[in-house]
Amino acid sequence: MPTVTVRAPAKVNLHLGVGPRRPDGYHEVTTILQAVALYDDITATSVPPESLAGPDGAGPVFTDEDPIAVTVGVAGEGARPATSDDADGPGDTGAEPSVSVVPTGKDNLAVRAAYLVAEAAGIRGEAVHLTLSKGIPVAAGMAGGSADAAAALLACDTLWGAGLDRETLVALAAKLGSDVPFPLTGGTALGTGRGEQLTDVLGRGEYHWVFALADGGLSTPAVYGEFDRLAEGRLRTGPTPADAVLSALRSGDPAELGAALVNDLQPAALRLRPSLRRVLESGLELGAIGAIVSGSGPTCAFLARDAAASVSLAASLAGMGVARAVRRAHGPVAGARVIGPADPAGPGGEPGSSAAQSPPLSPSSSPA
Ligand code: C5P
């Protein structure tokens, strides 16, 4: 059966400046995103429509609303069922204990991505099975769901030979969510608007990150809501500018970048999850040169001086037991790319060399 596998990266916000809530409910942001080497692999496989059970066991009925049929399977971290361990400890509020389990229905962004490609390309009568093989932590503030959606756009486009151009795929990505265009392009980018309008940032250097994962997720709308409550009564004209991070990226000095990291959502995330404060402090005590809540959390991101320092920081953090799990990843890395029919190495590391690879949709920011 025809099959295509696409690998897409996670992201970390080096800068997340947030302005006031707009009339459409979104917040104007100025953000610098970096793609990091944690990946989800999405495999899209054409299946015979008649093999799927329809209303009377005769396969799906295709309509204008349902021109295709999509089924989903999840492997990796997101496949685990919700457990009581997903609940927060005392003093924590605002979490969604079961949010760390990937949905498999039409509320899954990857499923919606398949529908959007079908609609844009006039595809009808196809049945596709999407396997999400997750190396990116779920509901962690690292855009794992967005990476899946971006990868599903490219995988379905390739599988069906739709031939949608890059601009169209990026426009479809923006429809799916503010964070979905970025995993298509990867590298390092400036995001404006609600975060979906991207410009490549040329910078120097390779950066070594350590991520401390927390139990359970934090809901992005809940964190933005808490941000609004904290900002109440204070005059906010626009998002905090990203000048310090841009200047650090030009210099390529990790220590300068570590000192420049900004996340305007961090106070809100800490209000909803006070235990993260201890995690951030622990990383800094252990020698991290920068510490920040990743996006809307609850993952904490630590910048290490170099690769060796990231290995010892990760080991020490894991040993302290302040995090559910610890991951290391370098950045920037390229955006979503076809890695072939399948990759036996799985999504944990760099794109495999065994399968035919396509170039990324846009060149990643390479060292100047
Ligand atoms: O765009 P996306 O669907 O990923 O956004 C999820 C939610 O996060 C939005 O419904 C909104 O509550 C919040 N959000 C926001 N401002 C942004 C991006 C997201 O308020 N720039």
Side-chain angles (χ1 to χ4, degrees):
M1 277 180 290
T3 182
V4 172
T5 298
V6 172
R7 176 164 287 182
K11 61 90 184 168
V12 59
N13 298 80
L14 311 180
H15 178 98
L16 181 49
V18 183
R21 185 184 283 270
R22 311 190 306 201
D24 66 0
Y26 284 93
H27 295 71
E28 199 68 24
V29 304
T30 298
T31 184
I32 308 284
L33 301 143
Q34 183 165 96
V36 297
L38 290 174
Y39 299 98
D40 281 358
D41 284 355
I42 279 47
T43 299
T45 306
S46 278
V47 293
E50 58 279 9
S51 70
L52 305 178
D56 36 18
V61 176
F62 296 109
T63 62
D64 286 349
E65 287 75 46
D66 274 318
I68 56 167
V70 187
T71 56
V72 179
V74 185
E77 263 212 71
R80 76 194 171 91
T83 67
S84 55
D85 289 345
D86 288 338
D88 286 326
D92 285 339
T93 57
E96 296 190 348
S98 61
V99 81
S100 56
V101 177
V102 174
T104 53
K106 268 195 186 167
D107 46 350
N108 186 301
L109 278 184
V111 174
R112 289 178 47 210
Y115 275 85
L116 282 186
V117 172
E119 193 189 340
I123 305 281
R124 191 170 174 141
E126 290 282 346
V128 60
H129 181 72
L130 300 175
T131 304
L132 316 183
S133 186
K134 301 214 47 91
I136 305 175
V138 177
M142 299 191 70
S146 300
D148 297 349
L153 287 172
L154 185 54
C156 290
D157 176 67
T158 309
L159 184 72
W160 295 329
L164 299 178
D165 59 22
R166 178 184 184 280
E167 284 67 34
T168 305
L169 288 176
V170 169
L172 296 182
K175 277 193 189 180
L176 289 166
S178 313
D179 285 345
V180 181
F182 180 66
L184 277 178
T185 53
T188 307
L190 166 71
T192 53
R194 58 188 167 88
E196 87 290 10
Q197 293 165 26
L198 300 176
T199 317
D200 266 359
V201 169
L202 287 178
R204 285 170 199 274
E206 186 177 61
Y207 299 93
H208 296 274
W209 296 94
V210 174
F211 297 100
L213 314 189
D215 276 324
L218 268 179
S219 137
T220 302
V223 174
Y224 272 102
E226 188 63 25
F227 171 87
D228 289 338
R229 274 187 288 282
L230 289 174
E232 233 160 60
R234 263 183 278 157
L235 187 66
R236 260 197 110 82
T237 46
T240 315
D243 301 358
V245 162
L246 288 170
S247 149
L249 289 170
R250 278 194 295 273
S251 81
D253 176 8
E256 192 179 331
L257 181 62
L261 299 173
V262 165
N263 182 356
D264 284 349
L265 290 181
Q266 184 162 307
L270 291 178
R271 277 284 289 247
L272 296 177
R273 193 71 74 88
S275 54
L276 296 182
R277 196 177 296 278
R278 178 79 199 105
V279 183
L280 291 171
E281 286 166 2
S282 301
L284 289 170
E285 283 160 18
L286 292 168
I289 53 175
I292 201 165
V293 170
S294 177
S296 56
T299 298
C300 291
F302 301 98
L303 188 59
R305 215 175 328 104
D306 52 30
S310 76
V311 173
S312 54
L313 175 60
S316 308
L317 263 177
M320 283 186 80
V322 291
R324 170 170 70 77
V326 175
R327 300 271 185 278
R328 281 189 320 115
H330 69 274
V333 295
R337 58 172 72 202
V338 176
I339 59 166
D343 184 15
E350 296 291 344
S353 53
S354 55
Q357 293 184 21
S358 73
L361 281 176
S362 96
S364 70
S365 312
S366 52

